[in-house]
Amino acid sequence: SDKNNLKVVFCSTSGTTMPPPKEAPSQFSDVFFWKLNAETFLASSGIANTIIVKPCGLSDGIGKNSTLTVGHHDLPKTHYHMMSRDDVASVMAEAIYMKSTPGTDLRFDLCSKPGPPNKCLHQLIESSKWEWEK
């Protein structure tokens, strides 16, 4: 298969870049470790277009009820808020359909804050690029 025509959108989790505290390890520590390993595997796979979405805490709430924000290094730009699985799925679906050039790899935190829903998910994903990628 031609790796230049492939696109992978992977749902990881926020918190993979921070090691768990040794004095109080979380029951999810192993999950974070293995998700980070999956992120690394994808990034080094040679697939031309990989998008890694790292959502904050998930809820079963209704989507499109908050403003979505993006960031990097597990440092959300706003106070942490639970986000709807519907919203994560919508962002991932938009990422699949977005036109991208080979070599376009994105990895970003996805969080929410109280406010109106985003009008354009494409613009939200584009805003996740580092300054030197724009």
Side-chain angles (χ1 to χ4, degrees):
S1 70
D2 183 9
K3 290 182 181 179
N4 288 328
N5 294 323
L6 296 176
K7 180 186 274 191
V8 174
V9 179
F10 176 67
C11 184
S12 186
T13 186
S14 179
T16 59
T17 62
M18 294 183 274
K22 290 182 181 178
E23 63 277 356
S26 163
Q27 65 184 8
F28 299 111
S29 299
D30 287 345
V31 173
F32 293 167
F33 172 79
W34 291 112
K35 287 221 179 208
L36 180 59
N37 276 274
E39 291 176 24
T40 304
F41 175 80
L42 264 179
S44 63
S45 68
I47 294 172
N49 295 292
T50 60
I51 299 174
I52 299 169
V53 181
K54 300 168 54 79
C56 292
L58 299 175
S59 76
D60 292 327
I62 298 170
K64 298 183 181 172
N65 280 332
S66 61
T67 302
L68 304 181
T69 63
V70 293
H72 294 89
H73 298 305
D74 298 317
L75 300 171
K77 293 180 182 176
T78 63
H79 181 70
Y80 169 89
H81 292 277
M82 298 292 284
M83 62 181 309
S84 148
R85 286 176 170 81
D86 289 347
D87 285 337
V88 175
S90 294
V91 169
M92 293 180 72
E94 180 66 30
I96 290 169
Y97 288 110
M98 281 177 59
K99 188 173 191 111
S100 55
T101 56
T104 302
D105 297 319
L106 297 174
R107 178 179 182 256
F108 58 90
D109 302 319
L110 178 66
C111 298
S112 68
K113 65 180 183 179
N118 304 69
K119 293 186 187 303
C120 180
L121 295 179
H122 181 275
Q123 195 172 29
L124 175 73
I125 295 167
E126 285 291 324
S127 74
S128 75
K129 291 182 177 178
W130 293 97
E131 285 303 315
W132 61 85
E133 295 175 316
K134 296 179 181 178

